[in-house]
Amino acid sequence: MLDALNFVATSALAIAAVIVAFRANEIAGRSVRVEADKLVLEWAQRCLHCLSNASSLRLIGDGQIEDDEFREQRRSLRAQLFALKEEGALFFHKGQGEVLEPALAALDAITKCMDGRRFEPPKPDDYEAVRKAQNLEIRNQTRAFIQSVQARVGNEWLTD
C-alpha cells in the first residue's frame, strides 16, 4: 500500500514538474519576443527622429537657413537614413527580388525624396510649388513606416 501511495505521489510531482517547466519555457519565449520588440522599437525611434528632422528641414523657409547649412543637414540626414535602412534589414526580412518590406521601403522612398536634385534649399515663394508636396511625401511615408513597425511589434504582452 505504501508503494502505491509513493507511486501516486511521485507521479503527481512529475506531472507538476512538467507543467511548471512548460510554463517556464513559455515565459522565456515571451521574454525573448519582448526583448526583440524592444530592439525594433529603439531602432524605430531613431528612424522617427531622423524622419522628423527631414520634415522640419523641408519646412524651413527662405532666408531662415544658409544654402550650405541646408545641404550639409540634408546630406547628414540622408546618410543617417541609409544607415538606418541597412540596420532595419536585421529586423525585417528582405522581400522577393527588389521588393522591400514596407518599413524599409518607406525609408528608401524618403531617402530618394531627399536627393540633392529634388530636395534643394528653400527659395522665395516655393512652398506651395515644391516644399509642401515634398513634406507631404515625407509625412505619408513616415505614416507607412509607423504602420509597418506596429504590425511587426507584438502586443501580446500588453493583453495578458
Side-chain angles (χ1 to χ4, degrees):
M1 173 122 156
L2 192 55
D3 287 338
L5 286 175
N6 215 3
F7 176 75
V8 171
T10 304
S11 297
L13 286 174
I15 292 170
V18 167
I19 292 170
V20 168
F22 178 77
R23 289 294 292 159
N25 192 34
E26 191 176 274
I27 290 169
R30 286 184 181 193
S31 177
V32 168
R33 174 64 193 240
V34 168
E35 276 302 311
D37 287 349
K38 179 182 169 197
L39 293 173
V40 171
L41 290 172
E42 289 170 352
W43 168 78
Q45 285 175 326
R46 291 193 310 276
C47 291
L48 289 172
H49 178 76
C50 191
L51 297 175
S52 176
N53 286 339
S55 178
S56 296
L57 183 62
R58 186 67 289 183
L59 290 175
I60 293 175
D62 182 46
Q64 295 177 326
I65 190 171
E66 296 293 323
D67 288 0
D68 289 341
E69 183 183 350
F70 179 90
R71 287 185 182 98
E72 180 56 36
Q73 286 186 27
R74 180 188 53 79
R75 276 192 292 271
S76 175
L77 287 169
R78 231 173 147 228
Q80 289 175 36
L81 285 171
F82 275 124
L84 288 166
K85 181 181 151 208
E86 292 303 314
E87 185 180 342
L90 296 171
F91 304 115
F92 295 90
H93 298 291
K94 293 202 175 192
Q96 298 295 328
E98 294 296 314
V99 178
L100 294 174
E101 290 295 319
L104 301 179
L107 292 178
D108 188 56
I110 294 171
T111 304
K112 288 177 182 173
C113 169
M114 292 180 69
D115 181 85
R117 294 180 299 268
R118 293 181 57 208
F119 203 85
E120 296 177 342
K123 296 179 178 70
D125 302 322
D126 75 339
Y127 178 75
E128 288 295 328
V130 179
R131 291 185 290 128
K132 183 178 181 180
Q134 288 176 339
N135 190 54
L136 183 61
E137 182 179 353
I138 291 169
R139 293 177 57 86
N140 286 339
Q141 291 297 333
T142 299
R143 286 186 201 98
F145 173 82
I146 291 169
Q147 287 176 340
S148 178
V149 170
Q150 286 175 334
R152 163 62 176 80
V153 174
N155 66 353
E156 62 273 359
W157 54 275
L158 290 173
T159 58
D160 279 354

